[in-house]
Amino acid sequence: MKRQVLATLGTAVLLATAVGCSSGGSAASPGGADPKTATGSVTVWLMDDAQKSWPELVQQVNDQFAAKYPKVELKLSYHSWKDKIAELDAAIATNQAPDVVELGNTETTKYMVNGTLAGLDRTGFDNSDNWIKGLADTCTYNQKLYCVPYYAGARVGVYNAKMFQDATGSADLPQTEEELTAALDKVALRNKSTAGFSALYLPGPYWYAAMSYVTAYGGSIAKFDSSGVWHGTLHDPKSQAGLQHFVNLVKTYNKGDLKVNEAKQAGVLGHEKAALIYANGWELSDAVAPITGTPALKNSLKIVTMPGPNGKPLPSFIGGSDLAVTAKSQNAAIATDWVRMFTSTKSEQVLADKDTLPNNLTQLAPLKNKPATAAAANAVQDAWFTPAAPGWGAVEKQNVLVNMLDSIFKGKSVDDATKEADAQIDQLINNPS
């Protein structure tokens, strides 16, 4: 998950044995030959989030792996989000791909479609019948599993509690959208003398937010039909209703430039030009940092589940990371066993204890009532994800959704804009990008 760009690259090579094996060797099935006699090596690429945030989990799993496979060499390296994809593509091109690789869930589709990843048996992993659906969907292509959910994330409401206290008498964000809009009207009125103030700063081109409202109304970006073809569904009535709802909120509450996207929304909140934003949880840090925000707001800014239409939380785009075994791994069975260990119930509990959302609903449940995690934990259960279609990368690259939103805020009707967007999606989405 691309929570923040991490610019450093750390590398550690862990040996489960002193044997100097090269990648390859003889692969042993975890359920077949004696793992004590298995040889070869397994190369694992993790993001440096693991090195910085839960090194004890990595050590726990590597100790477990070494005990089970004493003659298999485990090579573990840490990579940054900034560089990982370029490094992975280069490794694939030279037949030096790792056996196991961590992928941000927005990165998986490309590699599922182009055959880079090995198919996996879902039943071989803990809690697989209870994985968070949106996260499991990021690992699924043509109804086959190609990676294992690792951890999850979700967008939340980040708001200025003092502004709400001053305007409404309560520092708590209302839990229903009807109550929220009534409170936003009061916040807007109280701050009307502040030029460009947005009670809710919801950027016009913010397609992740727009599609959250589409999902809330039961709509979708695209669907895979019975004939085996993807087609755009933004023009469907439910999708249009959700999109119109988003447009109405933007026009009512965003008093900034509607052509500006969400990239710097934390700064708008942090410089007290907004009372509420819909954001990744880490954006609160930007809002209270020097230059990008105001440190004095540290005790005023809060995170909460974003209220959505119909009395439910607003469905979030699912964030997170997955673990995959590459198709050309020479020790695929053992590599798969490492993934099984790293995503076991015991391992996922280490993440949950660190306020990181685990991959399954059972271990997620206690985090719904914990102040530090409640907002994201409550948002993630009904989260959505982009279509796992061969050409989705091209749809994003050509800014189909952004252009659709821009055209609406320039005056085009939702009906006409969604027809045009669906036509473009239909041209792109079925062709490998």
Side-chain angles (χ1 to χ4, degrees), residues 108-409:
T108 58
T109 299
K110 166 186 172 180
Y111 296 108
M112 291 191 295
V113 170
N114 68 17
T116 295
L117 308 182
L120 300 172
D121 177 3
R122 180 168 178 156
T123 62
F125 301 94
D126 284 3
N127 303 301
S128 60
D129 60 345
N130 206 22
W131 282 339
I132 295 169
K133 183 182 181 301
L135 198 56
D137 287 348
T138 73
C139 284
T140 307
Y141 178 66
N142 283 348
Q143 299 182 320
K144 295 181 180 179
L145 187 74
Y146 289 93
C147 54
V148 177
Y150 170 14
Y151 65 86
R155 282 171 168 78
V156 293
V158 185
Y159 76 104
N160 189 315
K162 185 177 184 302
M163 286 185 175
F164 277 83
Q165 175 72 53
D166 292 344
T168 70
S170 174
D172 295 330
L173 197 77
Q175 296 184 2
T176 69
E177 192 182 73
E178 182 178 7
E179 293 170 335
L180 174 61
T181 55
L184 289 172
D185 291 341
K186 293 179 180 178
V187 172
L189 181 62
R190 184 175 179 86
N191 292 275
K192 64 181 181 179
S193 61
T194 301
F197 178 83
S198 302
L200 167 61
Y201 185 73
L202 199 57
Y206 192 2
W207 70 268
Y208 287 106
M211 294 307 108
S212 288
Y213 286 97
V214 166
T215 303
Y217 274 79
S220 61
I221 300 170
K223 288 185 177 179
F224 189 70
D225 64 26
S226 57
S227 65
V229 175
W230 285 90
H231 59 93
T233 52
L234 292 168
H235 189 249
D236 290 0
K238 290 180 179 179
S239 298
Q240 284 196 344
L243 187 56
Q244 186 64 62
H245 189 96
F246 167 78
V247 170
N248 292 344
L249 287 173
V250 173
K251 288 183 175 180
T252 300
Y253 295 110
N254 184 351
K255 302 306 178 183
D257 186 343
L258 300 187
K259 300 187 295 296
V260 174
N261 66 23
E262 73 277 13
K264 296 183 178 180
Q265 64 178 355
V268 178
L269 179 70
H271 288 112
E272 300 181 271
K273 291 288 189 177
L276 169 65
I277 61 173
Y278 181 54
N280 296 289
W282 56 258
E283 291 181 71
L284 185 150
S285 298
D286 288 351
V288 297
I291 302 176
T292 58
T294 304
L297 293 179
K298 182 177 180 180
N299 294 325
S300 296
L301 299 188
K302 309 293 182 183
I303 289 179
V304 69
T305 304
M306 187 74 169
N310 308 316
K312 297 180 179 180
L314 183 64
S316 170
F317 174 78
I318 186 79
S321 271
D322 304 312
L323 293 168
V325 175
T326 53
K328 292 185 178 180
S329 169
Q330 297 301 300
N331 253 341
I334 299 176
T336 301
D337 207 22
W338 186 92
V339 174
R340 181 189 64 77
M341 296 175 188
F342 205 81
T343 57
S344 69
T345 299
K346 181 180 179 181
S347 296
E348 292 294 323
Q349 191 58 48
V350 175
L351 299 178
D353 290 343
K354 286 181 168 288
D355 294 339
T356 296
L357 304 187
N359 66 8
N360 65 90
L361 297 177
T362 300
Q363 290 175 288
L364 178 74
L367 301 186
K368 293 183 176 182
N369 298 313
K370 190 174 181 180
T373 55
N378 281 289
V380 78
Q381 184 165 335
D382 296 318
W384 61 275
F385 193 64
T386 52
W392 176 253
V395 175
E396 281 205 44
K397 187 175 182 180
Q398 295 197 25
N399 290 317
V400 173
L401 300 184
V402 171
N403 292 338
M404 175 190 72
L405 292 168
D406 282 341
S407 70
I408 291 170
F409 290 109

Side-chain angles (χ1 to χ4, degrees), residues 41-57:
S41 68
V42 170
T43 300
V44 176
W45 285 15
L46 285 178
M47 305 313 300
D48 49 10
D49 293 340
Q51 183 182 32
K52 296 174 180 179
S53 302
W54 40 84
E56 69 273 37
L57 170 58

Side-chain angles (χ1 to χ4, degrees), residues 42-46 74-79 98-101 323 338:
V42 170
T43 300
V44 176
W45 285 15
L46 285 178
L74 180 63
K75 300 177 179 180
L76 170 66
S77 59
Y78 295 104
H79 299 255
D99 298 286
V100 176
V101 61
L323 293 168
W338 186 92

